[in-house]
Structures are given as C-alpha cells and as structure tokens.
Amino acid sequence: MPVRAADTSAPPQHHSGSNSGHTSPPPFTLLSVGQGFSGTQNVSGLQKDEAWRVNVRIQGCDLEHGYLCGTMEALNVPMADTPVVTFWEGEIVDTKNYTFFTEKWEATQDDDIRHWTKFPSFAALLNQVEVDGGKSLDLSNYPYIFMRWKEQYFVNVGTDCGLTIAGFYYVCFSCSDGSINGFYYDPNSSPFQKLELKSTNEGRLGFSFSSYELR
Amino acid sequence: MPTSTTAAGSNSDLVTRLNSPDAEVQLKALRELKNRIIGNRTKKLSFVKLGLVPAVAAILASKAQAQAQAQAQPQPDHDSNLLVQSAAVLGSFACGFDAGARAVLDAGACPNLFLLLSHPDDKVVDAGARSLRMIYQSNMAPKCDFLQDKNMEFLLSLLNSDNENVTGLGASIVIHSCETTAEKKALCHAGVLKKLISLLEGSPSQRDNSLESLATIMKSNVEAVSEFVGCESGRALSSVIELTKDRYPRTRFLASMCLIAVRNTSSCYLQDIGIKTKLVHLLLELHEDPGQVGDEAPFAFSSLISHKVDLQKLALEANAIDKLYNHLQKNRLNPKRFQGILLALADLCSKLESCRSRFLSLQALNLVSEALTHDSSDVRTAACICLRCVSRSIKNLCAGNFMNEMIVPPLVRLLDDPSTSVQVAALCAVGNIIVDFTTDRSLFLQCGGVKQLVQLSKSMDSTLRLNALWALRNLMCLADYMCKLGTFMELTASSLASLICDPEPFVQEQALALIRNLVDGCMESVELVFAEDDIILDAVGRQLQCVSRDEIWIQGLYVLSNVASGNEFHKEAVMHQLVPQADNGAQSFILKFLQSNESQLRIAAVWTIINLTFPSSPSACSRFVKLHNAGIVSQVKSMVNDPCPDVKLRVRTALGQFTTLNDGAT
C-alpha cells in the first residue's frame, strides 16, 4: 500500500549546535506492545512474481533507547512445512540513539541513502541526511518513524531450514494510519524486497491494547 | 588444678569457681573460660545456656563498682586482674555471636564496662574498651542517641582519648548507632568528622576505624561529603584514595567503602574514569580474600555499580561477570558470600543487555537455579533477584531461555516459601519469566504456577497481592484464550471485582491492567467481563467515576476501550457505563478524561470513542447520536490540534468516522 507523501506535513526542525535538544519520538499506540500488522513481502524484487504473507507483532518497546522488538511470521514460505517465525530487534532512527546511517551489517552510506529514498516520506529529509546522517534533525514531531529491523534468530525452526536472516529491513511507520513499509537489504539476496504491512485488529470491530511491565 | 574428665563436670565446676569467694580461684576460672570460648560458637552457646555470663558479669560489677566508689584510688592487683579478665570474657562471648551479645547485655554488663574506661590502670581501660567494641559490633547492642548532648560529649571524649582502644570504641559506637540524617549532621556539627579525619593519620587500627566511621557518616549525607572533600584542600580525600593501595586488604576495602559513600552521595565527585576503574578492579580483587573482607566485597561492589550504567560498563570490561561466576562455582561458599555474589551479578545485569548476554553465555543460570533451593532464605531471595534482573530481556525471554525445567519448577515452589521476602522476590522473577510470547507457557501452568499466583493474589499481605497480580497481568498479556479462560476460572469474577476495589491503589491498578489484558485478543475473551451479572464491568465503571489516580484511570479506561472493540453487545455495555441513562444532568465521566492534562488518559479515552463509533458496526450511528447528545462528540472535535501527536492523529481518525456516520445518517 502507498505511503502517504511527506509534502503535506511541516518540514522537520533542525537543531542548532549541540545534540542536547534531541528528544525521543512520542509514543504511538499503534506501534506499542502487542500491536499486530499483516501484509506481504515481495521476495522477487522488481518482477513481483513471488510474495510471502507476513504477520508482525510488536513485543517490546523502549523509546528512550530507540529500541523496538517483535516477531515476524512468514506464512507461505516455499520449502517450509510451517510458518517461519523470527525474532527481530529494531533501531529507531531518533537521531539520538541512531541516525539514518547504519554503519554495520555490510551497509554503506550509499546503500542507506538508496534504500531510504525509496520511501516518499523521506524526501524532505534527504538533503540533511546526506550531510550528517540526519544527526541534526529533530524528528520528534515528524508523522513517520524510520527504523531498521534486524532479525536475530529463528523462533520455531532450526538454522538449517534453508532460509537466511543475514540481512535487515529499512522500515518506515506511518503514525497516521499505522501502516508499515520496508525494504529488505542483504547484499546476497535480491535487492529491494518490499515489505508492506497494515495495522490489524484481528477480527475485532475496533482496536484493542495489551500491556506488560518487566520488573 | 586437675580438670574433670567429662565436659559436664568441668562446666558445673566452672560455675562454682566463678562464684568462689577466693579471688585467685575466680581469676583462674575466668582465664580458663576465656581460653575455652575463644572462636568457638558451640562452647559459647553451651556456656550461655549454663548461665555463666551473669556469673562473670557479677564479678565485673562488684569490682568495677568498688573501684568507682574508691574514686580512682589504686586497687589491689588481683582486683585489676579480675576486671581485665571478666571484661575479656564478656567481650569474647559477644564477639561475632548475637546470642552471646544478648546474654552480656541482659546481664547488665555495659554500664560497668563503661566504668572501666576511667580506671587509673591502662590495662583495665584497654580491656573495658575492647570488650565494649565487641559488643558494639553486634546488632544487639543498644543505639546511642547522638542528639542528646551528654551522649555527644561522651562520644567526643572517647574519640579524643590517647588510648587507641578507646578511640576505636568511639568509632564502633558511631558505626553501630549512626543512622538518620539528623544524627549524621549532629555528628558533623559537633566536630566528629574532623576528629575522624585526623585519626586517618593514626595507627593502622585507628585508620581502619576512622575509614569505616567516615563511610557511615557520609552515606547519603551531602553536607558531610562536602566537608570531607573540602577538608584541607582535599588532603583527606587524597589520603583515602592513597589508602586504596594499602598493604592490608581490610584497609583497602574500607578506603573503597569510604570513596563509594562519597560518590554515591554526591555524584559530582570522583567522576574521573581512572578512580572509577580502580574501584572496580580493587573490589573484584578483594573478592579473593578468604575472610570477612571477601564476604563483604560483593555488597560493596553492588553499591558501587547499582543503578549506574557507566560503572556497569566498566565492570563488564573488567571481566566482572566472569570473575564473579568463577567465585560462584567454588564449593561450600558461605551463605553471606553466596548471597553477595548473586546480588552483585543481579546489579550487573540490571540494565545492560551486553551484561545479560555474557552472563547467559557462561551458563551461569545453572548455578542460579541451584541457589533457588539453598537452605538460606537470603541466598534463595538473592537467586530470585538475580533471575529477575537477567530476565529483563525480551530477546532472551522470547528465545525461551527461562521457561524451562531448570528454572520454572523450583521458582514456582518458592511462591510457597515460608519467608515472605523469598515469596516477593520469586513473584518478581516469575513476573518477568512468564513474559514469553513465542513459546508455550504450559510448563508454568503444569507446575501449578497459576494456582499459586491466584492464591497469593488473595493474600492478607498487600505486597504479595500486588506482586501476584503483577505477574498474572504479565501472564495474561498476549496469552491464548485457553490460558486466559483457565486463569479466569481460577481467579473468579467476584474476586477480580473485589481486587479492583482493593484498599491499596497499586493493587487496584494491577487488577485493572490484568483485566485489560484478559479482554484483549480474540472476541471470546471479551465475554469474560460479563460473568456474574457484569460484576467486573460495573466495578471498573465505579472506579473510573470515584477514584482519583491517573494510573488507575488509564488501566480502567483501556478495559472499557478493549471491551468496546468487541461486538454490538459489548459496545452497548460500554455505552451503558459511559452515558448516564437517567437525564439528571450528570456528565459522562469520559469528558473528564478527554479534558485531562495526562495525554495517556486522553488517548485511551479517544480510542474508546473510536471503538464505539467503528463504522462497520451496525449500531455505530445510534451510539454516535448518544455520544453527540452527551457533549462527547463536540469535545473530541475540539481536540483536533491536541499537543500530543498520538492524540491528535487519533482524534482525526475519530473525526473521519464521525463524518462517515453523519453522511450515512443524512
């Protein structure tokens, strides 16, 4: 599904001087613990001739440290008897804990820019990101949240399942409609595999919210 | 004198000899008794039971009072010897043995021992001071009230004495008695801090006493820390830093305690990375000490790193987890050391995922699991606290690293422990471990975990109720319907309704959070709040109207919001709570939440409205009209530029739905 263009929203503020003004993004209930998303991942790149159904659920969120985690379930994976569930951890690009530059996972700054620019909502940020990775941007009121999701382990299958989780996702969450778009990056897989997810309410006539607190 | 062949004979003979009118016989009996009890707790206990302590105290009393009446005139030698020996025996009974200290105090020995401090014979003074020091090292000793002038004067007279044992006694009294900030301030104002600083230049024993007393006075006392740091342009601080290199482990340990007190009280001091690293390394090294220093080192290490991420990182770099784990592997650790190491590991793993990863990679959980069944309740509590800190990691929880046979069965058994502190610590650990969204939670259920939690949620002790409900709330988060249903049947609707109205607000909050999770998920789960004639929903509605605490309101509103995401019947039940039926002019309580300063309340209230007016539900239109008539729709419309981005965007969702419903109606 298309991501709402950024041109209707106010441009993000720039910080001047030090990084002391950096604030975490405000909490969004649609991106909170327990929220579910479903959609597809196009695994064939531009030809779009193969897509896996995907369910995502947020399991943990710590905005202060720019951290999000959850599970991802791929439903019609060829060669797999059951849906394949992975656990992922996310870095929220809040310009305090993380910038737009990945600086790991075999991603160069060019790879970063090439993937982020696939999101229309990133266009307003491009110039500044090219300068400093977005370090001087204040994204706390921006209606999109950019993240990187990195799968850490398979939950229900062994590592010998013939699948790889070597890459990671560039992700953009729309605060207004709760949709998530992403692009998978792995130098050894087909490029720009697109992830498209919508917030789900699991058969309910409305939205429901759980919560837990670790001790 | 020949000794008896049986212990019993020997003991009763001792009683007789202590009560002898012949001073020489008494003296010999005292010496013999002293030699028998030194370092032998079993002997001490048996002699306490035989009533020897009052007999010794009686010798001391008669001679000390005679001396006081003679007004410092020299007494015969054998009297002085009796004073020295009786004081030594009493001190020995009290040394490291609480039952002994209790017996000495009960025999009324303390006032007579204090009389010895003004004896003309230095040996008697030494013996009295040493004995009193041993008594003041026990928790049984009475506290000295420093706020009374005469006590403060007396303390200063002790600290100003030329006798090393007497100044040591002064320091012991400070260490034992000084607790409140008012007392600490009074000690500073009276010049005790300055005096203690000057004693840093004294003998090794005075130096150690001074370090320990300084640490006691400076702990949580900003005024004392600033006086200490400023003293002689920082010379006192420098000399304590220097003492961290002393050749005696005890001195190095006490110097580090002093520096920890400075740093923990005023975070502006000792920020230098060098000193922080040095303290980390020093305390880790002191864990090697086989004696008291090694027993106390883990506790000091904990106070150094607790709640401080920077120090936890330094400790990780210094291989602290590996080193502590190596100590933990040693056989026959004494309970205090075992407890201390577990608590130190808990603090290390309390915040940083990197520390938890290292801990888990060492298979340290096996040892923690064994500690859950230790004889000492302190060790069992510490093992639970360690487990709680290590399990603060969703990544590891979801990997099923804790929900296994090694951890869950012994942990669940601790929910029934005779010690309440073990039960509370176990509940906290359980509260984390059951947050496992990917693996089956059936192991916890099979072990009887739910039954235990439900039972504890009905405890008379509010701390147990709170922690049991907290664990149940976490268990219900994203649980499947069968798990929810089983837990609900165990809890019952009427119990839940009374927990919502518990006298303790924190219990109310957790009870509501539990119900919020219970009604999330599949549609069937919403039905649970309608059991027993809607008793739960009515209780929630009442709490939202009468309680005045944001945390409770937030959870209560989410219960309503989640129920409102159900079917038509569920939505109408929420409407019944929200919109007063009788036209008596009463406002809906949701208006109060929509207008609240707390954004979390506003967002929960807006979600409730969104769910009630969800366009695909058949009666959305009629509910919209009722909400409109109650003034709720106009309130939502006025929030279109809410300062909280989440609220603002969700208000727009609601307004979009209102437009759809309006269009449908026209």
Side-chain angles (χ1 to χ4, degrees):
Chain A
M1 97 165 234
V3 179
R4 186 174 294 177
D7 53 4
T8 52
S9 57
Q13 299 291 308
H14 285 244
H15 292 298
S16 55
S18 73
N19 286 350
S20 58
H22 284 203
T23 50
S24 303
F28 282 96
T29 33
L30 284 177
L31 196 65
S32 61
V33 166
Q35 288 311 290
F37 300 85
S38 65
T40 56
Q41 179 172 342
N42 169 9
V43 290
S44 307
L46 297 170
Q47 289 87 27
K48 202 163 184 154
D49 55 2
E50 190 182 349
W52 297 349
R53 279 197 295 133
V54 173
N55 291 326
V56 161
R57 192 185 286 283
I58 310 293
Q59 314 278 15
C61 182
D62 175 4
L63 293 178
E64 173 63 27
H65 296 101
Y67 178 83
L68 196 73
C69 65
T71 46
M72 188 180 277
E73 181 185 36
L75 289 166
N76 49 333
V77 180
M79 303 174 299
D81 304 332
T82 56
V84 176
V85 182
T86 53
F87 179 86
W88 54 266
E89 291 188 296
E91 298 177 345
I92 298 172
V93 178
D94 53 9
T95 70
K96 180 179 78 168
N97 294 289
Y98 302 102
T99 70
F100 284 93
F101 291 152
T102 308
E103 289 166 347
K104 59 190 161 192
W105 303 330
E106 295 182 58
T108 64
Q109 292 186 0
D110 283 346
D111 293 325
D112 292 331
I113 299 280
R114 226 178 16 252
H115 284 81
W116 292 126
T117 47
K118 290 265 176 193
F119 301 113
S121 51
F122 178 76
L125 314 174
L126 176 62
N127 288 345
Q128 194 56 41
V129 171
E130 281 180 328
V131 175
D132 62 0
K135 217 182 268 181
S136 56
L137 290 169
D138 177 4
L139 298 175
S140 59
N141 280 313
Y142 204 58
Y144 296 89
I145 295 177
F146 298 95
M147 296 172 269
R148 281 179 287 270
W149 291 1
K150 170 85 180 113
E151 287 162 298
Q152 299 292 346
Y153 54 81
F154 291 102
V155 172
N156 64 336
V157 294
T159 44
D160 56 352
C161 60
L163 297 164
T164 173
I165 50 171
F168 71 94
Y169 293 86
Y170 292 89
V171 176
C172 175
F173 168 78
S174 162
C175 304
S176 48
D177 63 7
S179 64
I180 289 175
N181 282 265
F183 291 97
Y184 187 65
Y185 171 73
D186 173 7
N188 301 314
S189 300
S190 27
F192 302 114
Q193 296 180 25
K194 191 171 185 186
L195 179 72
E196 290 175 290
L197 302 167
K198 272 183 168 180
S199 184
T200 57
N201 44 20
E202 295 167 75
R204 288 198 169 216
L205 299 171
F207 291 83
S208 172
F209 302 93
S210 273
S211 79
Y212 69 86
E213 264 182 88
L214 291 180
R215 311 299 311 274
Chain B
M1 169 178 165
T3 52
S4 162
T5 50
T6 66
S10 164
N11 294 345
S12 57
D13 174 51
L14 259 177
V15 181
T16 317
R17 286 153 57 206
L18 287 172
N19 291 325
S20 164
D22 183 340
E24 280 306 318
V25 174
Q26 283 184 312
L27 197 58
K28 280 190 175 174
L30 284 170
R31 284 195 176 119
E32 190 184 328
L33 178 56
K34 186 179 74 179
N35 291 336
R36 285 215 208 164
I37 61 173
I38 280 178
N40 188 332
R41 292 164 67 91
T42 318
K43 280 269 164 58
K44 282 184 196 177
L45 184 62
S46 75
F47 288 138
V48 165
K49 284 181 177 165
L50 267 177
L52 261 63
V53 173
V56 178
I59 299 174
L60 172 77
S62 69
K63 302 300 170 194
Q65 282 160 23
Q67 165 65 40
Q69 279 159 13
Q71 293 186 332
Q73 291 303 306
Q75 295 290 294
D77 264 1
H78 58 76
D79 276 11
S80 290
N81 287 339
L82 278 173
L83 285 172
V84 168
Q85 292 304 323
S86 58
V89 170
L90 292 170
S92 192
F93 266 115
C95 183
F97 184 56
D98 280 347
R102 182 78 268 156
V104 172
L105 291 164
D106 288 347
C110 274
N112 294 319
L113 287 168
F114 276 115
L115 284 177
L116 304 190
L117 302 182
S118 44
H119 198 281
D121 184 343
D122 281 351
K123 277 189 210 150
V124 176
V125 177
D126 280 339
R130 269 199 296 264
S131 181
L132 282 165
R133 278 184 63 190
M134 290 177 190
I135 294 167
Y136 274 94
Q137 278 163 7
S138 161
N139 287 331
M140 298 287 141
K143 301 280 178 197
C144 174
D145 181 2
F146 299 122
L147 300 178
Q148 286 187 27
D149 289 345
K150 66 176 175 54
N151 288 344
M152 188 66 88
E153 280 165 27
F154 178 63
L155 175 68
L156 279 166
S157 73
L158 296 179
L159 291 172
N160 286 324
S161 166
D162 295 332
N163 183 311
E164 197 176 303
N165 283 309
V166 176
T167 55
L169 170 62
S172 296
I173 293 176
V174 170
I175 294 159
H176 175 73
S177 301
C178 182
E179 282 173 346
T180 66
T181 311
E183 285 172 333
K184 291 174 184 179
K185 285 187 174 168
L187 288 169
C188 291
H189 291 157
V192 169
L193 193 85
K194 279 206 169 59
K195 183 65 206 170
L196 289 168
I197 290 170
S198 74
L199 289 174
L200 286 173
E201 312 280 328
S203 68
S205 136
Q206 282 177 323
R207 208 178 47 196
D208 283 3
N209 290 326
S210 164
L211 284 169
E212 196 172 356
S213 311
L214 284 169
T216 307
I217 296 176
M218 287 193 291
K219 190 176 174 189
S220 310
N221 181 1
V222 180
E223 207 175 294
V225 167
S226 99
E227 186 179 338
F228 173 76
V229 173
C231 185
E232 295 177 46
S233 315
R235 242 187 74 200
L237 181 64
S238 306
S239 62
V240 172
I241 292 174
E242 201 52 35
L243 287 173
T244 58
K245 298 178 211 150
D246 195 86
R247 67 195 176 103
Y248 294 110
R250 178 99 193 134
T251 305
R252 295 203 298 278
F253 173 72
L254 293 172
S256 71
M257 288 292 287
C258 214
L259 296 177
I260 292 169
V262 170
R263 193 174 185 279
N264 286 358
T265 304
S266 301
S267 54
C268 55
Y269 300 121
L270 303 176
Q271 277 301 323
D272 172 57
I273 185 103
I275 188 77
K276 287 195 279 193
T277 311
K278 183 192 255 179
L279 282 172
V280 166
H281 283 278
L282 171 59
L283 285 168
L284 287 173
E285 169 209 308
L286 290 171
H287 279 72
E288 305 286 344
D289 184 277
Q292 196 189 354
V293 167
D295 290 348
E296 291 176 13
F299 294 93
F301 182 71
S302 275
S303 66
L304 175 70
I305 61 162
S306 187
H307 305 294
K308 296 179 216 67
V309 173
D310 57 340
L311 277 150
Q312 289 165 15
K313 279 183 186 157
L314 284 175
L316 180 69
E317 285 163 17
N319 266 339
I321 293 183
D322 294 56
K323 287 177 182 169
L324 292 174
Y325 172 67
N326 289 340
H327 288 298
L328 212 53
Q329 280 182 305
K330 289 176 188 159
N331 286 328
R332 290 191 289 278
L333 277 180
N334 76 49
K336 185 173 181 189
R337 193 178 286 225
F338 200 173
Q339 176 200 16
I341 295 172
L342 287 168
L343 292 176
L345 282 166
D347 274 315
L348 265 173
C349 296
S350 61
K351 291 187 182 290
L352 293 173
E353 193 64 23
S354 47
C355 288
R356 294 180 198 127
S357 299
R358 184 67 201 148
F359 179 92
L360 291 170
S361 71
L362 292 169
Q363 309 290 313
L365 266 186
N366 300 1
L367 296 176
V368 177
S369 161
E370 283 169 25
L372 291 173
T373 55
H374 197 276
D375 287 341
S376 155
S377 63
D378 288 339
V379 173
R380 295 197 299 278
T381 304
C384 291
I385 294 172
C386 186
L387 206 48
R388 168 189 172 182
C389 290
V390 180
S391 61
R392 282 179 189 159
S393 157
I394 293 295
K395 181 181 174 183
N396 285 303
L397 285 167
C398 286
N401 286 337
F402 302 98
M403 189 61 84
N404 55 47
E405 289 285 350
M406 185 179 73
I407 300 288
V408 175
L411 191 59
V412 168
R413 278 196 288 277
L414 292 185
L415 296 177
D416 200 21
D417 198 274
S419 150
T420 308
S421 57
V422 174
Q423 284 182 297
V424 171
L427 278 171
C428 292
V430 163
N432 284 356
I433 283 166
I434 53 186
V435 179
D436 178 354
F437 306 122
T438 54
T439 55
D440 193 1
R441 301 184 213 198
S442 60
L443 175 62
F444 183 74
L445 275 70
Q446 283 160 15
C447 292
V450 173
K451 268 191 194 322
Q452 289 278 9
L453 291 182
V454 169
Q455 203 174 336
L456 291 171
S457 74
K458 294 169 186 170
S459 162
M460 294 294 283
D461 183 330
S462 64
T463 312
L464 288 174
R465 284 203 306 282
L466 169 71
N467 288 290
L469 280 174
W470 201 320
L472 283 165
R473 172 237 186 134
N474 284 357
L475 178 71
M476 289 299 93
C477 185
L478 307 181
D480 62 41
Y481 179 65
M482 288 318 288
C483 177
K484 284 181 180 177
L485 185 64
T487 308
F488 181 77
M489 307 264 274
E490 198 70 41
L491 268 164
T492 75
S494 46
S495 284
L496 272 172
S498 52
L499 285 165
I500 292 171
C501 309
D502 193 273
E504 292 297 326
F506 295 112
V507 174
Q508 295 173 21
E509 182 191 347
Q510 291 305 323
L512 287 165
L514 188 167
I515 296 162
R516 164 187 176 176
N517 289 347
L518 200 65
V519 295
D520 179 43
C522 67
M523 197 74 99
E524 292 100 308
S525 60
V526 185
E527 294 291 338
L528 299 175
V529 287
F530 293 95
E532 295 185 35
D533 292 330
D534 306 353
I535 187 174
I536 293 177
L537 203 60
D538 288 342
V540 175
R542 275 199 305 278
Q543 287 302 84
L544 286 171
Q545 291 189 67
C546 54
V547 178
S548 57
R549 212 183 164 106
D550 285 354
E551 294 81 3
I552 294 171
W553 280 338
I554 289 167
Q555 299 302 339
L557 260 182
Y558 272 115
V559 172
L560 289 193
S561 177
N562 285 359
V563 173
S565 70
N567 60 30
E568 283 301 309
F569 172 75
H570 304 143
K571 289 180 199 293
E572 286 303 325
V574 173
M575 281 299 287
H576 183 75
Q577 295 290 337
L578 282 194
V579 182
Q581 300 301 296
D583 189 15
N584 56 4
Q587 272 202 334
S588 167
F589 60 77
I590 203 155
L591 284 169
K592 165 178 77 180
F593 302 129
L594 288 166
Q595 291 160 359
S596 164
N597 289 327
E598 171 55 64
S599 63
Q600 286 198 69
L601 270 174
R602 298 201 302 280
I603 190 70
V606 173
W607 274 118
T608 311
I609 304 303
I610 290 173
N611 287 339
L612 290 171
T613 55
F614 204 66
S616 55
S617 55
S619 303
C621 228
S622 77
R623 282 191 293 274
F624 170 68
V625 172
K626 283 182 196 164
L627 292 169
H628 184 273
N629 294 342
I632 296 166
V633 168
S634 60
Q635 172 60 36
V636 174
K637 284 182 177 169
S638 74
M639 295 164 69
V640 71
N641 286 317
D642 193 280
C644 167
D646 198 18
V647 176
K648 185 172 77 179
L649 291 171
R650 296 300 60 94
V651 163
R652 288 177 187 186
T653 306
L655 296 186
Q657 294 184 178
F658 294 170
T659 309
T660 311
L661 294 171
N662 245 339
D663 292 348
T666 52

